[in-house]
Amino acid sequence: RPAQVEGRNKYLKVVFANTSQPYEARLITPSQSHDVALIKVDVNNLAPVTLKDNYGSVKAGEEIIVMGYPGGAPQQRVVRKSNDPFKPNAEVFEVASPVTSPGHVQQVVASSTEFSTKQSGFGDSYQLDLNATGGGNSGGPMFDEKGNVIGIYYAGGGDARQGIISFAIPIKYGMELLKTPKSE
């Protein structure tokens, strides 16, 4: 029997690519079935992406690209002179520098509510062959060859001997959260 766990987000901040400015974010709703949540950030002038629910047609071998911030990647930093007379020392800030990791869908992992020899405890997922991903990629978009977001990266692990294994959930689960009635 699975345990019930409830968490709270006391601090939720988002930093956009090539900036060091953190923005307050708030949790709108988590998914009850997958490792994804909808958050809201009050920022204007962001470039939109196209979300494409093509879960039924994705096949093993298809090329994908995952964008994120893998933990092992070098981080850019900027040094800013302080204008505060009481804190005259310069400060160092990290700049969010996303990387892209090309790869392929290794297999489409389907869950089932009926008895099946192909049932998975992962839920619907894409298993990926990406070597340059890490913990900082979680929540990052997975793009198809046309630049559409078709998944959200959520897990990766392994080592050189075992092999690296990575997973993304189909974007349809993120899109479901966008349709959820929101209280703001």
Side-chain angles (χ1 to χ4, degrees):
R1 293 175 34 186
Q4 292 277 339
V5 177
E6 183 178 321
R8 289 185 186 80
N9 290 309
K10 288 191 174 211
Y11 307 101
L12 187 58
K13 297 189 182 225
V14 173
V15 178
F16 292 97
N18 303 313
T19 70
S20 61
Q21 176 64 47
Y23 292 92
E24 293 290 328
R26 62 187 181 279
L27 176 67
I28 301 299
T29 187
S31 171
Q32 295 301 308
S33 59
H34 285 79
D35 188 9
V36 66
L38 180 63
I39 63 172
K40 175 139 174 103
V41 183
D42 294 320
V43 176
N44 296 320
N45 302 322
L46 296 176
V49 294
T50 301
L51 307 179
K52 183 177 180 185
D53 177 10
N54 62 347
Y55 179 67
S57 63
V58 172
K59 304 283 184 247
E62 289 190 29
E63 293 183 12
I64 50 94
I65 294 176
V66 170
M67 182 185 291
Y69 304 89
Q75 296 300 312
Q76 294 181 4
R77 293 184 174 84
V78 295
V79 178
R80 290 193 191 129
K81 180 182 172 243
S82 175
N83 292 326
D84 184 342
F86 300 105
K87 289 175 53 180
N89 297 331
E91 293 185 74
V92 177
F93 295 91
E94 286 194 0
V95 175
S97 304
V99 299
T100 56
S101 303
H104 296 88
V105 173
Q106 284 184 319
Q107 69 172 321
V108 177
V109 181
S111 65
S112 175
T113 56
E114 299 175 17
F115 178 76
S116 167
T117 58
K118 293 186 178 183
Q119 185 174 13
S120 165
F122 279 78
D124 295 331
S125 295
Y126 300 120
Q127 182 179 332
L128 312 174
D129 71 341
L130 298 165
N131 292 326
T133 56
N137 282 89
S138 294
M142 182 178 91
F143 297 95
D144 66 10
E145 72 285 349
K146 295 180 180 170
N148 300 305
V149 177
I150 63 167
I152 303 169
Y153 185 93
Y154 75 90
D159 60 33
R161 284 186 313 122
Q162 297 171 326
I164 305 296
I165 189 167
S166 299
F167 293 93
I169 65 162
I171 195 61
K172 69 180 184 175
Y173 296 106
M175 293 168 77
E176 282 178 1
L177 296 177
L178 290 171
K179 295 175 185 169
T180 302
K182 301 164 197 68
S183 59
E184 296 182 30

